[in-house]
Amino acid sequence: YEIYQCDWSSDVCSSDLEVAFHFNVAQLLPYVCRLLRKAHGSRSKVTVVAPETQLQELDAQLWTFDKESFVAHCLWDADPHVLAVSPIVLAPASALEVSPHREVLVHWGCPEPPAGFESYQRLIELVGTDEADKTVARRRWKHYSDRGYPMTRYDVAAVKL
């Protein structure tokens, strides 16, 4: 992993972390499945952080959404060996530290930035079309921006994944 350094007095971190906001996502669950299929195909190691109910739905959907491919994954409460060999780990914010991966963090449906996001190489924030979702996403954008992280915007409504 890249070592990041934080100037705790100024609350600004310097690292190789890249933050990308995927916004205007009309159907979040199918989008997350396609995003994870793409990440799995590129052999990326991914942690998805979301509320537990969404993780359960995502887990079920990843088994069935594409009849021609399988997206290997596990839930945060899996056996430690399974966690170690699974390229994608689904975890609630309260259990984020159980994931062995620090490459890509997908943040979906939680209002606050996930604790420990700084330890990842890439953070992907998913934002739906709902105004409430956009409002909390703007606060997260400000949080990352104020700390000097490079930010990228992807208008999903304009491009297909």
Side-chain angles (χ1 to χ4, degrees):
Y1 312 128
E2 289 293 321
I3 303 297
Y4 62 93
Q5 300 193 2
C6 294
D7 176 354
W8 299 110
S9 63
S10 67
D11 201 25
V12 175
C13 295
S14 63
S15 75
D16 290 333
L17 173 69
E18 298 174 14
V19 180
F21 274 75
H22 294 213
F23 65 98
N24 287 329
V25 181
Q27 296 179 322
L28 283 161
L29 183 58
Y31 185 80
V32 175
C33 289
R34 291 191 310 272
L35 183 70
L36 293 176
R37 178 180 56 198
K38 185 176 180 179
H40 184 260
S42 69
R43 302 195 185 286
S44 294
K45 303 289 187 191
V46 181
T47 302
V48 178
V49 63
E52 286 187 40
T53 54
Q54 287 174 224
L55 293 173
Q56 297 295 340
E57 290 174 24
L58 178 58
D59 177 44
Q61 195 69 22
L62 285 172
W63 287 99
T64 61
F65 91 100
D66 186 344
K67 294 180 185 350
E68 296 181 21
S69 67
F70 172 68
V71 178
H73 68 283
C74 71
L75 291 167
W76 76 97
D77 56 358
D79 179 87
H81 174 72
V82 174
L83 283 166
V85 299
S86 295
I88 298 170
V89 175
L90 313 179
S94 62
L96 188 57
E97 71 282 352
V98 303
S99 177
H101 308 314
R102 292 297 177 266
E103 188 176 335
V104 179
L105 176 61
V106 175
H107 187 227
W108 170 39
C110 300
E112 299 300 321
F117 72 87
E118 309 89 351
S119 66
Y120 289 80
Q121 295 172 20
R122 187 167 180 212
L123 169 61
I124 299 174
E125 286 276 355
L126 302 177
V127 184
T129 56
D130 178 82
E131 276 308 313
D133 197 16
K134 289 179 182 181
T135 298
V136 293
R138 287 182 190 108
R139 285 197 307 259
R140 292 192 309 270
W141 176 282
K142 182 171 177 13
H143 177 85
Y144 304 129
S145 180
D146 286 352
R147 285 154 182 79
Y149 292 109
M151 311 286 284
T152 308
R153 299 175 62 221
Y154 294 102
D155 185 350
V156 175
V159 180
K160 292 287 184 194
L161 177 65

